[in-house]
Amino acid sequence: VGWWANYVPIEYLKNTGTQYIDTGLSISSNIKIETKFQTFVSGWLLGATDGSNGRWGASSTQTSLVWYSKKTSVTDETYYNPNGINVAEFDYANGVTINGHYLPFASQQSYGNVSGHHLYMFFADGSSAKTQSHAIYYFKIYHNNVLVRDFIPVIDSNAVPCMYDKVSNQFYYNAGT
């Protein structure tokens, strides 16, 4: 029996507020993330925090996609589809590619040091009052250009929606409320 016996793939995993998934990986300057997503209610798509003022990640709204730490905002609907599905690559060192269009970082802006802190999907920025909502269709993480996480949305054998990592063959569940 193979890995497919443990879960049923689904099209996407959607959060509705304070749910998030800890990827089990820490932030470093050599990280790159590829994801396919849709935004329903503005908020953090992915990120990390040092627990106080430091934060790193991407926030999406109905009008823009903002990459914090490097402060690159994508508001041109030629690139970003605020009402539909987007494919993005967030390269910590180089820039953002959204729906096939590369955008170098506009400026450097410090949001604190989050190096060594965990990276989260559906990042809630430490707040329990978030009303954000996103759907994630896949979520890949590279470290030094090596694929270290390849998340797909699934329903596990206990009928619980979660992300399955095809690299480590592990399930990742909601760590929020």
Side-chain angles (χ1 to χ4, degrees):
V1 177
W3 53 264
W4 57 89
N6 295 327
Y7 66 80
V8 175
I10 55 177
E11 184 178 8
Y12 58 81
L13 188 65
K14 182 178 178 183
N15 76 327
T16 57
T18 58
Q19 304 89 3
Y20 65 91
I21 294 179
D22 185 342
T23 66
L25 295 174
S26 297
I27 296 297
S28 77
S29 61
N30 299 318
I31 205 160
K32 180 174 70 172
I33 298 158
E34 293 177 11
T35 188
K36 180 177 178 182
F37 70 95
Q38 184 171 5
T39 299
F40 299 100
V41 178
S42 302
W44 289 93
L45 175 65
L46 59 98
T49 183
D50 67 1
S52 57
N53 294 327
R55 61 181 183 214
W56 175 94
S59 174
S60 61
T61 70
Q62 301 307 323
T63 59
S64 67
L65 177 70
V66 179
W67 177 242
Y68 286 90
S69 180
K70 303 293 186 176
K71 196 59 175 176
T72 295
S73 179
V74 182
T75 56
D76 185 339
E77 288 187 25
T78 303
Y79 305 127
Y80 175 63
N81 181 357
N83 299 309
I85 297 171
N86 293 279
V87 176
E89 178 181 293
F90 303 97
D91 186 330
Y92 186 85
N94 296 307
V96 177
T97 301
I98 183 78
N99 297 322
H101 301 279
Y102 172 71
L103 301 163
F105 291 131
S107 64
Q108 299 291 321
Q109 187 165 348
S110 175
Y111 283 91
N113 182 9
V114 295
S115 182
H117 293 274
H118 279 212
L119 171 64
Y120 301 98
M121 280 181 264
F122 308 122
F123 177 56
D125 195 20
S127 171
S128 60
K130 295 289 183 182
T131 58
Q132 66 190 12
S133 180
H134 300 90
I136 294 181
Y137 295 78
Y138 65 80
F139 196 93
K140 297 180 181 187
I141 304 171
Y142 296 83
H143 186 263
N144 291 323
N145 293 317
V146 174
L147 182 64
V148 293
R149 293 286 190 273
D150 188 358
F151 291 108
I152 59 169
V154 301
I155 302 290
D156 75 5
S157 60
N158 294 314
V160 177
C162 60
M163 287 293 207
Y164 180 77
D165 174 30
K166 297 189 295 184
V167 174
S168 67
N169 297 317
Q170 293 183 344
F171 293 97
Y172 288 78
Y173 295 91
N174 173 33
T177 56

PDB file of all heavy atoms in Angstrom, residues 3-10 13 152-164 170-174:
ATOM      1  N   TRP A   3       1.512   5.708  -0.354  1.00  0.00           N
ATOM      2  CA  TRP A   3       1.146   6.912   0.382  1.00  0.00           C
ATOM      3  C   TRP A   3      -0.289   7.332   0.099  1.00  0.00           C
ATOM      4  O   TRP A   3      -0.947   7.915   0.925  1.00  0.00           O
ATOM      5  CB  TRP A   3       2.105   8.051   0.064  1.00  0.00           C
ATOM      6  CG  TRP A   3       2.268   8.312  -1.407  1.00  0.00           C
ATOM      7  CD1 TRP A   3       3.249   7.840  -2.213  1.00  0.00           C
ATOM      8  CD2 TRP A   3       1.410   9.079  -2.251  1.00  0.00           C
ATOM      9  NE1 TRP A   3       3.052   8.258  -3.498  1.00  0.00           N
ATOM     10  CE2 TRP A   3       1.943   9.028  -3.549  1.00  0.00           C
ATOM     11  CE3 TRP A   3       0.240   9.803  -2.052  1.00  0.00           C
ATOM     12  CZ2 TRP A   3       1.350   9.665  -4.630  1.00  0.00           C
ATOM     13  CZ3 TRP A   3      -0.341  10.446  -3.126  1.00  0.00           C
ATOM     14  CH2 TRP A   3       0.214  10.370  -4.398  1.00  0.00           C
ATOM     15  N   TRP A   4      -0.813   7.052  -1.074  1.00  0.00           N
ATOM     16  CA  TRP A   4      -2.158   7.483  -1.450  1.00  0.00           C
ATOM     17  C   TRP A   4      -3.246   6.840  -0.601  1.00  0.00           C
ATOM     18  O   TRP A   4      -4.366   7.313  -0.582  1.00  0.00           O
ATOM     19  CB  TRP A   4      -2.406   7.205  -2.933  1.00  0.00           C
ATOM     20  CG  TRP A   4      -2.215   5.759  -3.297  1.00  0.00           C
ATOM     21  CD1 TRP A   4      -3.149   4.789  -3.267  1.00  0.00           C
ATOM     22  CD2 TRP A   4      -1.000   5.136  -3.696  1.00  0.00           C
ATOM     23  NE1 TRP A   4      -2.612   3.589  -3.631  1.00  0.00           N
ATOM     24  CE2 TRP A   4      -1.267   3.776  -3.907  1.00  0.00           C
ATOM     25  CE3 TRP A   4       0.310   5.580  -3.905  1.00  0.00           C
ATOM     26  CZ2 TRP A   4      -0.304   2.862  -4.300  1.00  0.00           C
ATOM     27  CZ3 TRP A   4       1.259   4.673  -4.309  1.00  0.00           C
ATOM     28  CH2 TRP A   4       0.955   3.336  -4.501  1.00  0.00           C
ATOM     29  N   ALA A   5      -2.930   5.758   0.100  1.00  0.00           N
ATOM     30  CA  ALA A   5      -3.927   5.104   0.946  1.00  0.00           C
ATOM     31  C   ALA A   5      -4.187   5.896   2.227  1.00  0.00           C
ATOM     32  O   ALA A   5      -5.183   5.665   2.902  1.00  0.00           O
ATOM     33  CB  ALA A   5      -3.465   3.694   1.299  1.00  0.00           C
ATOM     34  N   ASN A   6      -3.306   6.829   2.564  1.00  0.00           N
ATOM     35  CA  ASN A   6      -3.429   7.585   3.810  1.00  0.00           C
ATOM     36  C   ASN A   6      -4.239   8.862   3.687  1.00  0.00           C
ATOM     37  O   ASN A   6      -4.560   9.482   4.687  1.00  0.00           O
ATOM     38  CB  ASN A   6      -2.046   7.943   4.347  1.00  0.00           C
ATOM     39  CG  ASN A   6      -1.265   6.721   4.735  1.00  0.00           C
ATOM     40  OD1 ASN A   6      -1.840   5.742   5.191  1.00  0.00           O
ATOM     41  ND2 ASN A   6       0.037   6.777   4.543  1.00  0.00           N
ATOM     42  N   TYR A   7      -4.551   9.282   2.465  1.00  0.00           N
ATOM     43  CA  TYR A   7      -5.283  10.526   2.301  1.00  0.00           C
ATOM     44  C   TYR A   7      -5.981  10.591   0.946  1.00  0.00           C
ATOM     45  O   TYR A   7      -5.701   9.800   0.051  1.00  0.00           O
ATOM     46  CB  TYR A   7      -4.365  11.733   2.469  1.00  0.00           C
ATOM     47  CG  TYR A   7      -3.298  11.880   1.405  1.00  0.00           C
ATOM     48  CD1 TYR A   7      -3.598  12.424   0.155  1.00  0.00           C
ATOM     49  CD2 TYR A   7      -1.992  11.514   1.653  1.00  0.00           C
ATOM     50  CE1 TYR A   7      -2.623  12.570  -0.820  1.00  0.00           C
ATOM     51  CE2 TYR A   7      -1.011  11.672   0.686  1.00  0.00           C
ATOM     52  CZ  TYR A   7      -1.334  12.201  -0.548  1.00  0.00           C
ATOM     53  OH  TYR A   7      -0.382  12.358  -1.505  1.00  0.00           O
ATOM     54  N   VAL A   8      -6.851  11.591   0.853  1.00  0.00           N
ATOM     55  CA  VAL A   8      -7.534  11.885  -0.400  1.00  0.00           C
ATOM     56  C   VAL A   8      -7.153  13.309  -0.786  1.00  0.00           C
ATOM     57  O   VAL A   8      -7.404  14.245  -0.017  1.00  0.00           O
ATOM     58  CB  VAL A   8      -9.065  11.770  -0.245  1.00  0.00           C
ATOM     59  CG1 VAL A   8      -9.768  12.188  -1.526  1.00  0.00           C
ATOM     60  CG2 VAL A   8      -9.461  10.362   0.178  1.00  0.00           C
ATOM     61  N   PRO A   9      -6.541  13.515  -1.941  1.00  0.00           N
ATOM     62  CA  PRO A   9      -6.208  14.878  -2.369  1.00  0.00           C
ATOM     63  C   PRO A   9      -7.477  15.697  -2.587  1.00  0.00           C
ATOM     64  O   PRO A   9      -8.500  15.174  -3.044  1.00  0.00           O
ATOM     65  CB  PRO A   9      -5.468  14.672  -3.696  1.00  0.00           C
ATOM     66  CG  PRO A   9      -5.062  13.239  -3.709  1.00  0.00           C
ATOM     67  CD  PRO A   9      -6.083  12.506  -2.886  1.00  0.00           C
ATOM     68  N   ILE A  10      -7.414  16.973  -2.229  1.00  0.00           N
ATOM     69  CA  ILE A  10      -8.508  17.901  -2.480  1.00  0.00           C
ATOM     70  C   ILE A  10      -7.951  19.089  -3.259  1.00  0.00           C
ATOM     71  O   ILE A  10      -6.735  19.268  -3.352  1.00  0.00           O
ATOM     72  CB  ILE A  10      -9.201  18.354  -1.175  1.00  0.00           C
ATOM     73  CG1 ILE A  10      -8.197  18.956  -0.182  1.00  0.00           C
ATOM     74  CG2 ILE A  10      -9.952  17.191  -0.551  1.00  0.00           C
ATOM     75  CD1 ILE A  10      -8.820  19.497   1.091  1.00  0.00           C
ATOM     76  N   LEU A  13      -6.974  23.953   0.355  1.00  0.00           N
ATOM     77  CA  LEU A  13      -7.253  24.051   1.777  1.00  0.00           C
ATOM     78  C   LEU A  13      -7.533  25.516   2.058  1.00  0.00           C
ATOM     79  O   LEU A  13      -6.763  26.396   1.644  1.00  0.00           O
ATOM     80  CB  LEU A  13      -6.060  23.565   2.601  1.00  0.00           C
ATOM     81  CG  LEU A  13      -6.291  23.435   4.104  1.00  0.00           C
ATOM     82  CD1 LEU A  13      -7.329  22.366   4.402  1.00  0.00           C
ATOM     83  CD2 LEU A  13      -4.980  23.078   4.804  1.00  0.00           C
ATOM     84  N   ILE A 152       0.591  19.590  -0.343  1.00  0.00           N
ATOM     85  CA  ILE A 152      -0.648  19.522  -1.115  1.00  0.00           C
ATOM     86  C   ILE A 152      -1.805  19.405  -0.113  1.00  0.00           C
ATOM     87  O   ILE A 152      -1.663  18.800   0.949  1.00  0.00           O
ATOM     88  CB  ILE A 152      -0.661  18.345  -2.114  1.00  0.00           C
ATOM     89  CG1 ILE A 152      -0.491  17.001  -1.390  1.00  0.00           C
ATOM     90  CG2 ILE A 152       0.386  18.541  -3.200  1.00  0.00           C
ATOM     91  CD1 ILE A 152      -0.762  15.790  -2.263  1.00  0.00           C
ATOM     92  N   PRO A 153      -2.958  19.977  -0.439  1.00  0.00           N
ATOM     93  CA  PRO A 153      -4.113  19.864   0.456  1.00  0.00           C
ATOM     94  C   PRO A 153      -4.768  18.488   0.335  1.00  0.00           C
ATOM     95  O   PRO A 153      -4.923  17.964  -0.774  1.00  0.00           O
ATOM     96  CB  PRO A 153      -5.052  20.969  -0.033  1.00  0.00           C
ATOM     97  CG  PRO A 153      -4.636  21.252  -1.423  1.00  0.00           C
ATOM     98  CD  PRO A 153      -3.193  20.866  -1.562  1.00  0.00           C
ATOM     99  N   VAL A 154      -5.105  17.927   1.495  1.00  0.00           N
ATOM    100  CA  VAL A 154      -5.680  16.582   1.529  1.00  0.00           C
ATOM    101  C   VAL A 154      -6.706  16.466   2.655  1.00  0.00           C
ATOM    102  O   VAL A 154      -6.780  17.318   3.538  1.00  0.00           O
ATOM    103  CB  VAL A 154      -4.588  15.497   1.739  1.00  0.00           C
ATOM    104  CG1 VAL A 154      -3.539  15.540   0.640  1.00  0.00           C
ATOM    105  CG2 VAL A 154      -3.943  15.613   3.105  1.00  0.00           C
ATOM    106  N   ILE A 155      -7.448  15.369   2.616  1.00  0.00           N
ATOM    107  CA  ILE A 155      -8.265  14.906   3.739  1.00  0.00           C
ATOM    108  C   ILE A 155      -7.578  13.634   4.219  1.00  0.00           C
ATOM    109  O   ILE A 155      -7.373  12.700   3.435  1.00  0.00           O
ATOM    110  CB  ILE A 155      -9.713  14.589   3.318  1.00  0.00           C
ATOM    111  CG1 ILE A 155     -10.385  15.808   2.689  1.00  0.00           C
ATOM    112  CG2 ILE A 155     -10.508  14.046   4.495  1.00  0.00           C
ATOM    113  CD1 ILE A 155     -10.704  16.926   3.625  1.00  0.00           C
ATOM    114  N   ASP A 156      -7.179  13.603   5.499  1.00  0.00           N
ATOM    115  CA  ASP A 156      -6.462  12.421   5.990  1.00  0.00           C
ATOM    116  C   ASP A 156      -7.422  11.264   6.246  1.00  0.00           C
ATOM    117  O   ASP A 156      -8.631  11.379   6.039  1.00  0.00           O
ATOM    118  CB  ASP A 156      -5.608  12.766   7.222  1.00  0.00           C
ATOM    119  CG  ASP A 156      -6.408  12.957   8.498  1.00  0.00           C
ATOM    120  OD1 ASP A 156      -7.641  12.739   8.515  1.00  0.00           O
ATOM    121  OD2 ASP A 156      -5.782  13.328   9.518  1.00  0.00           O
ATOM    122  N   SER A 157      -6.891  10.141   6.699  1.00  0.00           N
ATOM    123  CA  SER A 157      -7.697   8.934   6.887  1.00  0.00           C
ATOM    124  C   SER A 157      -8.729   9.073   8.003  1.00  0.00           C
ATOM    125  O   SER A 157      -9.640   8.256   8.106  1.00  0.00           O
ATOM    126  CB  SER A 157      -6.782   7.730   7.161  1.00  0.00           C
ATOM    127  OG  SER A 157      -6.027   7.968   8.332  1.00  0.00           O
ATOM    128  N   ASN A 158      -8.605  10.137   8.832  1.00  0.00           N
ATOM    129  CA  ASN A 158      -9.595  10.418   9.879  1.00  0.00           C
ATOM    130  C   ASN A 158     -10.572  11.509   9.456  1.00  0.00           C
ATOM    131  O   ASN A 158     -11.261  12.084  10.293  1.00  0.00           O
ATOM    132  CB  ASN A 158      -8.900  10.817  11.173  1.00  0.00           C
ATOM    133  CG  ASN A 158      -8.103   9.678  11.758  1.00  0.00           C
ATOM    134  OD1 ASN A 158      -8.588   8.552  11.845  1.00  0.00           O
ATOM    135  ND2 ASN A 158      -6.871   9.954  12.136  1.00  0.00           N
ATOM    136  N   ALA A 159     -10.575  11.850   8.158  1.00  0.00           N
ATOM    137  CA  ALA A 159     -11.461  12.869   7.581  1.00  0.00           C
ATOM    138  C   ALA A 159     -11.136  14.280   8.063  1.00  0.00           C
ATOM    139  O   ALA A 159     -12.007  15.134   8.130  1.00  0.00           O
ATOM    140  CB  ALA A 159     -12.922  12.529   7.833  1.00  0.00           C
ATOM    141  N   VAL A 160      -9.861  14.539   8.374  1.00  0.00           N
ATOM    142  CA  VAL A 160      -9.422  15.864   8.816  1.00  0.00           C
ATOM    143  C   VAL A 160      -8.694  16.556   7.667  1.00  0.00           C
ATOM    144  O   VAL A 160      -7.729  16.018   7.123  1.00  0.00           O
ATOM    145  CB  VAL A 160      -8.475  15.754  10.043  1.00  0.00           C
ATOM    146  CG1 VAL A 160      -7.964  17.126  10.457  1.00  0.00           C
ATOM    147  CG2 VAL A 160      -9.189  15.067  11.191  1.00  0.00           C
ATOM    148  N   PRO A 161      -9.136  17.760   7.285  1.00  0.00           N
ATOM    149  CA  PRO A 161      -8.420  18.505   6.247  1.00  0.00           C
ATOM    150  C   PRO A 161      -7.059  18.965   6.770  1.00  0.00           C
ATOM    151  O   PRO A 161      -6.952  19.397   7.928  1.00  0.00           O
ATOM    152  CB  PRO A 161      -9.319  19.706   5.949  1.00  0.00           C
ATOM    153  CG  PRO A 161     -10.493  19.598   6.845  1.00  0.00           C
ATOM    154  CD  PRO A 161     -10.312  18.449   7.757  1.00  0.00           C
ATOM    155  N   CYS A 162      -6.035  18.866   5.945  1.00  0.00           N
ATOM    156  CA  CYS A 162      -4.689  19.246   6.353  1.00  0.00           C
ATOM    157  C   CYS A 162      -3.815  19.386   5.119  1.00  0.00           C
ATOM    158  O   CYS A 162      -4.288  19.266   3.997  1.00  0.00           O
ATOM    159  CB  CYS A 162      -4.109  18.207   7.321  1.00  0.00           C
ATOM    160  SG  CYS A 162      -3.975  16.540   6.621  1.00  0.00           S
ATOM    161  N   MET A 163      -2.534  19.626   5.331  1.00  0.00           N
ATOM    162  CA  MET A 163      -1.563  19.638   4.238  1.00  0.00           C
ATOM    163  C   MET A 163      -0.681  18.401   4.391  1.00  0.00           C
ATOM    164  O   MET A 163      -0.306  18.029   5.500  1.00  0.00           O
ATOM    165  CB  MET A 163      -0.698  20.888   4.274  1.00  0.00           C
ATOM    166  CG  MET A 163      -1.424  22.142   3.849  1.00  0.00           C
ATOM    167  SD  MET A 163      -1.848  22.077   2.107  1.00  0.00           S
ATOM    168  CE  MET A 163      -1.898  23.791   1.704  1.00  0.00           C
ATOM    169  N   TYR A 164      -0.366  17.801   3.260  1.00  0.00           N
ATOM    170  CA  TYR A 164       0.533  16.655   3.243  1.00  0.00           C
ATOM    171  C   TYR A 164       1.803  17.063   2.521  1.00  0.00           C
ATOM    172  O   TYR A 164       1.756  17.640   1.434  1.00  0.00           O
ATOM    173  CB  TYR A 164      -0.113  15.468   2.519  1.00  0.00           C
ATOM    174  CG  TYR A 164       0.758  14.243   2.467  1.00  0.00           C
ATOM    175  CD1 TYR A 164       0.908  13.436   3.585  1.00  0.00           C
ATOM    176  CD2 TYR A 164       1.455  13.918   1.314  1.00  0.00           C
ATOM    177  CE1 TYR A 164       1.720  12.318   3.542  1.00  0.00           C
ATOM    178  CE2 TYR A 164       2.268  12.797   1.269  1.00  0.00           C
ATOM    179  CZ  TYR A 164       2.400  12.004   2.391  1.00  0.00           C
ATOM    180  OH  TYR A 164       3.209  10.903   2.351  1.00  0.00           O
ATOM    181  N   GLN A 170       4.771  13.533   5.621  1.00  0.00           N
ATOM    182  CA  GLN A 170       4.118  13.839   6.892  1.00  0.00           C
ATOM    183  C   GLN A 170       2.907  14.739   6.659  1.00  0.00           C
ATOM    184  O   GLN A 170       2.869  15.514   5.701  1.00  0.00           O
ATOM    185  CB  GLN A 170       5.083  14.554   7.839  1.00  0.00           C
ATOM    186  CG  GLN A 170       6.226  13.703   8.306  1.00  0.00           C
ATOM    187  CD  GLN A 170       7.096  14.460   9.311  1.00  0.00           C
ATOM    188  OE1 GLN A 170       7.030  15.671   9.452  1.00  0.00           O
ATOM    189  NE2 GLN A 170       7.934  13.719  10.006  1.00  0.00           N
ATOM    190  N   PHE A 171       1.960  14.649   7.597  1.00  0.00           N
ATOM    191  CA  PHE A 171       0.787  15.512   7.590  1.00  0.00           C
ATOM    192  C   PHE A 171       1.068  16.746   8.464  1.00  0.00           C
ATOM    193  O   PHE A 171       1.708  16.624   9.508  1.00  0.00           O
ATOM    194  CB  PHE A 171      -0.435  14.769   8.140  1.00  0.00           C
ATOM    195  CG  PHE A 171      -0.878  13.636   7.247  1.00  0.00           C
ATOM    196  CD1 PHE A 171      -0.471  12.339   7.504  1.00  0.00           C
ATOM    197  CD2 PHE A 171      -1.693  13.882   6.164  1.00  0.00           C
ATOM    198  CE1 PHE A 171      -0.873  11.292   6.696  1.00  0.00           C
ATOM    199  CE2 PHE A 171      -2.103  12.837   5.338  1.00  0.00           C
ATOM    200  CZ  PHE A 171      -1.687  11.545   5.597  1.00  0.00           C
ATOM    201  N   TYR A 172       0.532  17.877   8.058  1.00  0.00           N
ATOM    202  CA  TYR A 172       0.656  19.118   8.814  1.00  0.00           C
ATOM    203  C   TYR A 172      -0.756  19.658   9.029  1.00  0.00           C
ATOM    204  O   TYR A 172      -1.487  19.893   8.064  1.00  0.00           O
ATOM    205  CB  TYR A 172       1.526  20.129   8.073  1.00  0.00           C
ATOM    206  CG  TYR A 172       2.980  19.750   8.097  1.00  0.00           C
ATOM    207  CD1 TYR A 172       3.468  18.772   7.253  1.00  0.00           C
ATOM    208  CD2 TYR A 172       3.875  20.353   8.981  1.00  0.00           C
ATOM    209  CE1 TYR A 172       4.800  18.381   7.277  1.00  0.00           C
ATOM    210  CE2 TYR A 172       5.196  19.982   9.026  1.00  0.00           C
ATOM    211  CZ  TYR A 172       5.663  18.997   8.167  1.00  0.00           C
ATOM    212  OH  TYR A 172       6.977  18.626   8.194  1.00  0.00           O
ATOM    213  N   TYR A 173      -1.089  19.860  10.309  1.00  0.00           N
ATOM    214  CA  TYR A 173      -2.453  20.203  10.687  1.00  0.00           C
ATOM    215  C   TYR A 173      -2.563  21.636  11.184  1.00  0.00           C
ATOM    216  O   TYR A 173      -1.571  22.269  11.534  1.00  0.00           O
ATOM    217  CB  TYR A 173      -2.936  19.250  11.782  1.00  0.00           C
ATOM    218  CG  TYR A 173      -3.038  17.818  11.315  1.00  0.00           C
ATOM    219  CD1 TYR A 173      -1.960  16.940  11.449  1.00  0.00           C
ATOM    220  CD2 TYR A 173      -4.201  17.342  10.714  1.00  0.00           C
ATOM    221  CE1 TYR A 173      -2.053  15.629  11.001  1.00  0.00           C
ATOM    222  CE2 TYR A 173      -4.300  16.038  10.268  1.00  0.00           C
ATOM    223  CZ  TYR A 173      -3.220  15.187  10.407  1.00  0.00           C
ATOM    224  OH  TYR A 173      -3.307  13.909   9.962  1.00  0.00           O
ATOM    225  N   ASN A 174      -3.808  22.098  11.293  1.00  0.00           N
ATOM    226  CA  ASN A 174      -4.083  23.408  11.850  1.00  0.00           C
ATOM    227  C   ASN A 174      -3.479  23.512  13.251  1.00  0.00           C
ATOM    228  O   ASN A 174      -3.723  22.678  14.103  1.00  0.00           O
ATOM    229  CB  ASN A 174      -5.606  23.626  11.908  1.00  0.00           C
ATOM    230  CG  ASN A 174      -5.980  24.892  12.631  1.00  0.00           C
ATOM    231  OD1 ASN A 174      -5.261  25.885  12.590  1.00  0.00           O
ATOM    232  ND2 ASN A 174      -7.121  24.860  13.288  1.00  0.00           N
TER     233      ASN A 174
END
